[in-house]
Amino acid sequence: MNTTLEAPRLTAHDRCDRCGAQAYVKVVLTAGGELMFCAHHARAHASALEPIADQVIDETDRLHAKPELVED
Ligand SMILES: [Zn+2]
């Protein structure tokens, strides 16, 4: 198991809690727990999530990036 150097990365295995699409935003709640959202639902729920989110990991930039090489 590789360790990540910085914030946890979202992967293709992470799915939006609302629609099941690939998640690009992870919300860590101040009350505990995590939510995953696709870019669409992250925007849709942003105002509701902001007051209860401890940390938001937004990787929606990757939607516009070239696919990354996967290292084994
Ligand atoms: Zn979604």
Side-chain angles (χ1 to χ4, degrees):
M1 186 67 91
N2 294 324
T3 51
T4 50
L5 296 174
E6 298 178 357
R9 297 288 305 272
L10 295 167
T11 74
H13 299 292
D14 292 314
R15 295 286 155 182
C16 175
D17 289 334
R18 296 289 172 178
C19 70
Q22 184 172 345
Y24 283 95
V25 178
K26 178 176 179 177
V27 179
V28 180
L29 302 174
T30 52
E34 298 172 347
L35 296 172
M36 300 281 194
F37 293 106
C38 65
H40 170 78
H41 283 112
R43 279 195 295 271
H45 297 292
S47 60
L49 291 169
E50 194 173 334
I52 60 171
D54 180 52
Q55 185 181 10
V56 177
I57 298 153
D58 184 340
E59 298 190 352
T60 52
D61 288 350
R62 289 168 55 210
L63 283 168
H64 309 292
K66 292 179 178 176
E68 297 175 45
L69 293 174
V70 177
E71 297 179 62
D72 289 320

